[in-house]
Coordinates of all heavy atoms in Angstrom, one line a residue:
G201 N 32.3 54.0 -1.1 CA 31.7 54.8 0.0 C 32.8 55.0 1.0 O 33.9 55.4 0.6
F202 N 32.6 54.8 2.2 CA 33.6 54.9 3.2 C 33.6 53.7 4.1 O 32.6 53.4 4.7 CB 33.4 56.2 4.0 CG 33.6 57.4 3.2 CD1 32.5 58.1 2.6 CD2 34.9 57.9 2.9 CE1 32.7 59.2 1.8 CE2 35.0 59.1 2.1 CZ 33.9 59.7 1.6
L203 N 34.7 53.0 4.2 CA 34.8 51.8 5.0 C 34.6 52.2 6.5 O 35.1 53.3 6.9 CB 36.2 51.1 4.8 CG 36.4 50.6 3.4 CD1 37.8 50.1 3.2 CD2 35.4 49.4 3.2
Q204 N 33.9 51.4 7.2 CA 33.7 51.7 8.6 C 35.0 51.7 9.3 O 35.9 50.9 9.0 CB 32.7 50.7 9.2 CG 31.3 50.8 8.6 CD 30.5 49.7 8.9 OE1 30.3 49.4 10.1 NE2 29.9 49.0 7.9
P205 N 35.1 52.6 10.3 CA 36.4 52.9 10.9 C 37.0 51.6 11.6 O 38.2 51.6 11.7 CB 36.2 54.0 11.8 CG 34.7 54.2 11.9 CD 34.1 53.5 10.8
N262 N 37.1 52.9 -0.6 CA 37.0 54.3 -0.2 C 36.9 55.2 -1.4 O 37.5 55.1 -2.4 CB 38.2 54.7 0.7 CG 38.0 54.5 2.1 OD1 36.9 54.0 2.5 ND2 38.9 54.9 3.0
L270 N 38.8 61.0 -0.4 CA 37.9 61.9 0.2 C 37.6 61.5 1.6 O 38.0 60.4 2.0 CB 36.6 61.9 -0.7 CG 36.8 62.4 -2.1 CD1 35.5 62.3 -2.8 CD2 37.3 63.9 -2.1
E271 N 36.9 62.3 2.3 CA 36.6 62.0 3.7 C 35.1 62.1 4.0 O 34.4 62.7 3.3 CB 37.4 63.0 4.6 CG 38.8 62.7 4.7 CD 39.5 63.8 5.5 OE1 39.0 64.2 6.6 OE2 40.5 64.3 5.0
T272 N 34.8 61.5 5.2 CA 33.5 61.6 5.7 C 33.7 62.1 7.2 O 34.7 61.6 7.8 CB 32.7 60.3 5.6 OG1 31.4 60.5 6.2 CG2 33.4 59.2 6.4
Ligands
NAG802 C1 38.6 54.7 4.4 O1 38.0 55.8 4.9 C2 37.8 55.8 6.3 C3 37.0 57.0 6.7 O2 37.6 58.2 6.1 C4 39.1 55.6 7.1 O3 38.8 55.6 8.4 C5 39.8 54.4 6.6 O4 41.1 54.3 7.2 C6 39.9 54.4 5.1 N1 40.4 53.1 4.7 C7 41.3 53.0 3.7 C8 41.7 51.6 3.4 O5 41.9 53.9 3.2

Side-chain angles (χ1 to χ4, degrees):
F202 294 96
L203 293 170
Q204 292 167 55
N262 264 5
L270 297 177
E271 282 174 49
T272 182

